[in-house]
Amino acid sequence: MAARGIDVGDDPLYEPRYSEIATFMRAPYVPDLDGVDIAMFGVPFDGGVTNRPGARHGPREIRNQSSLMRAINHATGVNPFDEARVADVGDVRFSRVFDNAAATDDIEAFARRIVESGAVPLAAGGDHSITYPIFRALAGPEAPIGMIHIDAHTDTWGPFRGEKFHHGAPFRLAAEDGLIDPARCIQIGIRGAQNWGDGWEFSQSSGMRVMFIEEFEELGVAGAAAEAKRIVGDGPTYISFDVDGLDPVYAPGTGTPEVGGITTREALSLLRCFRHLNLIGGDVVEVAPPFDPSGNTALVGATLMYEILCLLAESRQDSPGAG
Ligand SMILES: [Mn+2]
């Protein structure tokens, strides 16, 4: 089998899937980003959780389960490793693990290095607080981005016990900083009772399209996808997938499960509707291995990451200047 453009010796995909060091999708480990088109990285941080911790262990378990992934997408025919030079570029390293503001800066700096190298970032969390600093690296008020966000929660809440960098807040912070254009953002799968409605209200009053799970069920996958595509249009768009958007039957290993969610089959079908959008990055967050004894949530996380990888590889081929 031919290597895919990165000179790292033997092709990891050629080895049996149970062998060797587990990188994301068994891609080569290229921490210096040399020649990388799509940079998969881990963000082992869960200092932003408001309830059950554990997502800091997500990247390692997603890497492990991602060894089950193969190359060619049976539904779309896409082989992301043929379309782009795909690598695992390692984990964000934290200078101060008990300081959320410092962790936010560390994540931003890591993501900025990827963006400035010309590579497309694809992250594995970590809790959802990690997406805000990735947006700080990808966008600015002069060029806000759009977002397809799949989650049980809008993650647009204000400070929690005095801390603004938490996993219920990334998209409020991003909207307040002008990093996202709320009119080009959609949040799909929202559900679960709240003690107060501050986050729902922020999303709706800022202009985001909030699709509760009941509307998702009524529209079906195709209808929901059509609405998402109408909202984000052809501008630069990021996909952020919180595994708690899925029903906990499929993804029990997460910090804030909410029953009555999206199925894995719906999720894969939904993502495949987003081919050839102008996609600039993505993430899968909130896989919490301590609540995932079977490893299935990490497998689900790895599979979602693979589907987003396929989308990013195609989208990159669409963009002018992609080589
Ligand atoms: Mn979330």
Side-chain angles (χ1 to χ4, degrees), residues 43-59 94 97-98 100 103 107 125-130 165-167 286-291:
V43 191
F45 178 76
D46 62 13
V49 300
T50 53
N51 193 353
R52 309 192 302 176
R56 70 180 60 182
H57 303 288
F94 293 97
V97 293
F98 301 114
N100 286 16
I107 298 165
D127 72 50
H128 221 155
S129 69
I130 70 157
F165 300 112
H166 66 85
H167 75 157
E286 299 282 354
V287 170
F291 303 105

Side-chain angles (χ1 to χ4, degrees), residues 305-316:
M305 204 172 163
Y306 166 77
E307 289 290 339
I308 296 172
L309 172 63
C310 291
L311 297 174
L312 294 175
E314 275 195 299
S315 184
R316 191 184 156 281

Side-chain angles (χ1 to χ4, degrees), residues 31 62 67 77 94 106 183 192 206 278 301 311 316:
I62 292 173
S67 295
F94 293 97
D106 290 333
S206 72
N278 179 1
L311 297 174
R316 191 184 156 281

Side-chain angles (χ1 to χ4, degrees), residues 25-255:
M25 320 294 161
R26 300 183 299 143
Y29 174 54
V30 188
D32 66 6
L33 291 163
D34 188 28
V36 175
D37 297 324
I38 299 178
M40 299 184 288
F41 65 108
V43 191
F45 178 76
D46 62 13
V49 300
T50 53
N51 193 353
R52 309 192 302 176
R56 70 180 60 182
H57 303 288
R60 184 168 288 187
E61 290 308 314
I62 292 173
R63 279 191 177 93
N64 184 27
Q65 295 292 336
S66 78
S67 295
L68 284 158
M69 299 299 103
R70 301 185 186 89
I72 305 166
N73 189 310
H74 77 272
T76 64
V78 172
N79 180 341
F81 306 100
D82 279 348
E83 302 288 328
R85 294 170 295 182
V86 179
D88 185 332
V89 302
D91 280 351
V92 174
R93 294 186 183 178
F94 293 97
S95 50
R96 300 176 56 161
V97 293
F98 301 114
D99 179 334
N100 286 16
T104 300
D105 289 343
D106 290 333
I107 298 165
E108 177 187 353
F110 192 97
R112 187 174 296 283
R113 201 167 59 88
I114 292 171
V115 173
E116 287 179 353
S117 80
V120 177
L122 175 55
D127 72 50
H128 221 155
S129 69
I130 70 157
T131 306
Y132 166 66
I134 294 171
F135 284 0
R136 288 208 308 210
L138 270 173
E142 70 292 343
I145 60 176
M147 171 177 72
I148 297 172
H149 169 210
I150 298 138
D151 202 320
H153 315 100
T154 59
D155 295 355
T156 46
W157 265 261
F160 181 81
R161 300 282 172 124
E163 176 58 68
K164 70 174 185 173
F165 300 112
H166 66 85
H167 75 157
F171 306 122
R172 187 185 190 114
L173 297 172
E176 287 173 346
D177 285 3
L179 306 178
I180 53 176
D181 174 2
R184 293 190 51 244
C185 292
I186 184 167
Q187 307 186 292
I188 300 173
I190 308 304
R191 65 190 184 279
Q194 296 289 344
N195 292 323
W196 54 91
D198 182 40
W200 297 331
E201 285 157 20
F202 181 90
S203 285
Q204 284 164 333
S205 65
S206 72
M208 297 183 200
R209 176 71 166 87
V210 181
M211 185 179 289
F212 283 83
I213 193 70
E214 291 74 19
E215 186 185 2
F216 177 81
E217 185 172 22
E218 192 180 308
L219 292 175
V221 168
E227 177 64 356
K229 288 196 279 191
R230 184 185 74 79
I231 294 292
V232 302
D234 56 11
T237 299
Y238 187 95
I239 297 180
S240 187
F241 202 121
D242 185 327
V243 293
D244 75 29
L246 301 171
D247 194 278
V249 162
Y250 305 96
T254 195

